């Protein structure tokens, strides 16, 4: 401490008596010569503080900014950058060149984006570029396609996209494949939703094409309970959606609702001959119930419905392990394996090319007729005739092997399409030979990629994706 008044002497060194004035060495260091202020506020200290503040808040930030600009633009002093003088003419030229390059890249990016928003990208499943027009908002529809990643669904998606509509595909990929629609993944009008239609889904749509359900006997027999749930609960969910958003809905039914027909050819008035407890009934009866649901919603809730009864269809993007006659015969013939015919080969089928079916579905959806309509090709073949036809087109040396007939296999199948001609103005255009030639080329490319494909037999089988 510092005592400026008289103090009492206690006989301790360094302590004075009363009346004497003294200070310790510490006190001397704590008192400034200039007016008694502490030494930390001396002139020298103030100068040091001010210099440090100027250095920290002014000089250093300026150097940092100039260095950052030199690093950002990638130009050093030799290229024209001079700290304290700003941008030289050489530096300005380099910056302008960089800006021009950036603008060119941006322009190219915008042009590419513009182009991609108006066409598909070529893939192995869709090698040809498909252009999409730009529609005004009041003309562009929001369309839902269930099962849109499958064989028929993916071709339908192509047609709708090429009309300029917004298309949403809902598919659980049991038999569908992403690569069937991969050529649209980049497009702003396309959306893929991995979803099972047996569960409800909510979205805003104008039209619903309800295709979801395995159609090949080996595939729909693999899980018959799930098959009938897809046809019933799936259709119920789609009808509920159509009712809520007031959308038009089209159900793809099947010629299988006619069962093993006693009327030939089959017209829409025929009620069918179906075994309700056989191995095919999960599909046949499921579609019959789905049709019943469609008309119940129409009559009770005024839902706008369409029903297509589809006969045998073939074409590119068929599943290699589909198990049906066209895919099996072609795969067997291309690998020079025996063509397997179940029974004596006298049962008949008629075959339509996939583009004809898509045109029929589109005409039905956009027409005014709301009754069931057959969509198929009346050209009829026995299985023996068709096997020989495929061997001829593939130039194969395969033999035809006859195996045991499968249960409930229909003996005849041929559509009467007079109604479709009258109310839709529709009839198949692609001859069977032309369609088979395209399909054979497709399966040859699949076979080249896979190396070997083992055809699916008549029994229940899970799709091999």
């Amino acid at each position: 401490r510092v005592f400026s008044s008289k103090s009492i002497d206690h006989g301790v060194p360094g302590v004075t008596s009363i009346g004497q004035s003294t200070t310790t060495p510490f006190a001397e260091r704590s008192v400034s010569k200039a007016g008694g202020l502490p030494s930390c506020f001396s002139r020298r200290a103030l100068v040091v503080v001010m210099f440090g503040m100027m250095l920290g808040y002014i000089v250093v930030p300026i150097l940092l900014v100039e260095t950052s600009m030199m690093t950002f633009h990638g130009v050093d002093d030799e290229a024209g950058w001079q700290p304290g003088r700003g941008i030289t003419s050489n530096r300005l030229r380099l910056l302008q060149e960089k800006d021009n390059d950036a603008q060119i890249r941006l322009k190219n990016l915008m042009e590419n984006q513009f182009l991609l928003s108006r066409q598909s990208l070529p893939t192995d499943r869709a090698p040809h570029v498909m252009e999409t027009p730009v529609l005004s908002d009041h003309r562009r529809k929001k369309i839902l396609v269930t099962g849109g990643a499958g064989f028929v669904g993916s071709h339908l998606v192509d047609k709708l996209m090429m009309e300029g509509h917004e298309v949403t595909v809902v598919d659980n990929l049991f038999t569908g494949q992403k690569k069937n629609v991969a050529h649209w993944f980049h497009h702003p009008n396309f959306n893929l939703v991995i979803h099972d239609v047996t569960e409800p889904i909510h979205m805003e749509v104008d039209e619903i094409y309800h295709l979801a359900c395995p159609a090949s006997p080996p595939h729909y027999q693999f899980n018959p309970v799930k098959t009938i749930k897809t046809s019933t609960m799936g259709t119920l969910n789609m009808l509920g959606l159509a009712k809520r958003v007031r959308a038009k809905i089209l159900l793809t039914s099947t010629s299988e609702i006619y069962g093993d027909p006693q009327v030939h050819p089959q017209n829409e008035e025929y009620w069918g001959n179906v075994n309700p407890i056989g191995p095919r009934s999960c599909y046949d009866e499921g579609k019959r119930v789905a049709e019943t649901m469609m008309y119940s919603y129409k009559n009770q809730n005024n839902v706008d419905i369409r029903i297509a009864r589809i006969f045998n269809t073939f074409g590119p993007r068929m599943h290699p392990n589909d198990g049906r006659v066209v895919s099996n015969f072609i795969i067997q013939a291309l690998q020079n394996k025996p063509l397997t015919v179940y029974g004596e080969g006298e049962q008949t089928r008629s075959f339509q090319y996939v583009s004809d079916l898509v045109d029929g579905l589109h005409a039905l959806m956009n027409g005014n007729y709301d009754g069931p309509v057959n969509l198929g090709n009346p050209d009829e073949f026995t299985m023996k005739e068709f096997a020989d036809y495929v061997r001829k087109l593939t130039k194969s040396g395969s033999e035809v092997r006859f195996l045991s007939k499968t249960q409930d296999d229909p003996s005849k199948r041929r559509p009467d399409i007079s109604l479709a001609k009258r109310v839709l103005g529709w009839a198949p255009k692609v001859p069977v030979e032309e369609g088979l030639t395209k399909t054979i080329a497709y399966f040859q490319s699949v076979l080249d990629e896979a190396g070997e494909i083992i055809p699916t037999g008549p029994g229940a089988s899970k799709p091999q994706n």
Side-chain angles (χ1 to χ4, degrees):
R1 293 186 183 181
V2 177
F3 297 94
S4 58
S5 59
K6 296 179 180 180
S7 60
I8 301 175
D9 183 4
H10 297 283
V12 179
V15 180
T16 62
S17 302
I18 297 175
Q20 294 180 335
S21 178
T22 182
T23 60
T24 64
F26 175 77
E28 289 178 356
R29 289 193 303 270
S30 301
V31 179
S32 172
K33 295 180 180 179
L37 293 174
S39 61
C40 63
F41 293 107
S42 64
R43 288 190 182 92
R44 181 180 298 172
L46 291 174
V47 169
V48 171
V49 170
M50 292 178 63
F51 178 77
M53 291 176 64
M54 182 173 65
L55 182 66
Y57 287 94
I58 299 176
V59 177
V60 172
I62 290 175
L63 292 175
L64 289 174
V65 169
E66 291 188 352
T67 304
S68 298
M69 291 180 66
M70 291 167 61
T71 303
F72 176 77
H73 291 289
V75 181
D76 55 16
D77 291 345
E78 295 180 358
W81 179 260
Q82 298 180 5
R85 292 182 58 188
I87 301 176
T88 65
S89 59
N90 189 33
R91 169 65 177 168
L92 183 61
R93 179 181 59 79
L94 292 174
L95 287 177
Q96 289 175 343
E97 290 178 357
K98 282 184 169 292
D99 289 342
N100 290 337
D101 291 341
Q103 290 177 5
I104 292 173
R105 287 196 297 269
L106 179 60
K107 181 181 179 181
N108 291 338
L109 180 62
M110 294 176 66
E111 289 177 350
N112 290 338
Q113 182 65 27
F114 179 84
L115 183 63
L116 290 174
S117 67
R118 284 161 174 76
Q119 67 177 42
S120 66
L121 286 178
T123 65
D124 60 333
R125 295 299 175 95
H128 304 293
V129 172
M130 291 171 271
E131 297 183 353
T132 59
V134 178
L135 300 181
S136 57
D137 290 344
H138 73 280
R139 294 177 56 206
R140 186 173 61 252
K141 298 176 184 177
K142 296 178 180 178
I143 301 177
L144 169 63
V145 181
T146 68
F151 159 48
V152 174
S154 62
H155 286 281
L156 176 61
V157 168
D158 290 346
K159 185 175 184 67
L160 299 174
M161 288 291 293
M162 286 190 290
E163 290 184 340
H165 300 300
E166 294 182 18
V167 180
T168 297
V169 168
V170 170
D171 203 305
N172 68 352
L173 303 182
F174 177 66
T175 57
Q177 297 176 307
K178 284 185 179 180
K179 51 189 170 185
N180 286 338
V181 290
H183 51 289
W184 295 117
F185 282 174
H186 68 284
H187 202 286
N189 285 356
F190 179 81
N191 188 31
L192 172 62
V193 179
I194 310 300
H195 180 82
D196 195 314
V197 295
T198 59
E199 300 293 335
I201 190 169
H202 300 278
M203 61 179 63
E204 291 295 325
V205 294
D206 301 309
E207 294 177 353
I208 302 171
Y209 288 86
H210 182 36
L211 282 68
C213 189
S216 163
H219 294 166
Y220 66 62
Q221 292 177 32
F222 174 75
N223 190 342
V225 173
K226 183 60 181 292
T227 298
I228 198 166
K229 286 174 68 177
T230 301
S231 292
T232 55
M233 295 174 61
T235 302
L236 192 65
N237 287 331
M238 290 303 106
L239 283 165
L241 175 61
K243 175 187 172 183
R244 284 192 298 273
V245 301
R246 299 188 179 185
K248 187 190 303 183
I249 180 171
L250 183 151
L251 169 70
T252 54
S253 187
T254 173
S255 61
E256 295 298 318
I257 69 156
Y258 299 126
D260 190 4
Q262 297 174 342
V263 172
H264 192 73
Q266 298 80 53
N267 60 35
E268 291 83 357
E269 301 299 322
Y270 180 54
W271 290 357
N273 178 37
V274 177
N275 177 1
I277 59 173
R280 304 168 72 103
S281 62
C282 60
Y283 182 69
D284 301 358
E285 298 288 19
K287 289 294 187 179
R288 290 164 70 95
V289 172
E291 288 194 14
T292 302
M293 289 180 172
M294 293 285 284
Y295 281 99
S296 296
Y297 267 78
K298 172 185 178 292
N299 297 330
Q300 181 173 329
N301 303 111
N302 296 316
V303 175
D304 197 1
I305 68 166
R306 304 287 187 271
I307 294 178
R309 291 176 178 169
I310 300 174
F311 285 69
N312 291 64
T313 306
F314 69 97
R317 302 183 201 164
M318 289 186 76
H319 200 291
N321 301 112
D322 186 80
R324 286 181 283 192
V325 61
V326 175
S327 55
N328 270 7
F329 279 2
I330 293 176
I331 289 173
Q332 289 167 338
L334 289 175
Q335 298 178 99
N336 289 312
K337 295 181 178 180
L339 274 63
T340 51
V341 175
Y342 300 97
E344 297 179 356
E346 297 300 326
Q347 65 269 43
T348 67
R349 296 292 184 272
S350 58
F351 303 98
Q352 69 178 332
Y353 191 64
V354 64
S355 63
D356 285 331
L357 173 59
V358 168
D359 290 342
L361 294 174
H362 185 268
L364 180 59
M365 174 65 89
N366 292 280
N368 297 318
Y369 188 76
D370 60 5
V373 179
N374 287 340
L375 296 178
N377 189 334
D379 291 346
E380 189 176 13
F381 297 83
T382 67
M383 291 300 93
K384 285 194 300 185
E385 292 173 341
F386 195 69
D388 291 336
Y389 198 25
V390 170
R391 287 197 305 169
K392 175 185 174 182
L393 292 177
T394 56
K395 300 177 180 179
S396 172
S398 300
E399 63 174 340
V400 177
R401 181 175 298 173
F402 296 92
L403 303 177
S404 300
K405 183 180 178 180
T406 58
Q407 183 180 349
D408 295 337
D409 186 29
S411 59
K412 294 182 182 297
R413 182 76 81 236
R414 179 188 176 192
D416 181 340
I417 61 170
S418 55
L419 179 63
K421 291 179 178 179
R422 185 173 72 253
V423 300
L424 303 179
W426 175 88
K429 299 177 181 177
V430 180
V432 173
E433 182 176 351
E434 179 183 339
L436 280 175
T437 301
K438 295 178 180 179
T439 307
I440 290 169
Y442 161 74
F443 275 115
Q444 183 63 65
S445 66
V446 173
L447 189 59
D448 291 341
E449 180 182 349
E452 181 186 12
I453 298 176
I454 300 175
T456 301
S461 174
K462 185 177 181 179
Q464 302 298 316
N465 289 326

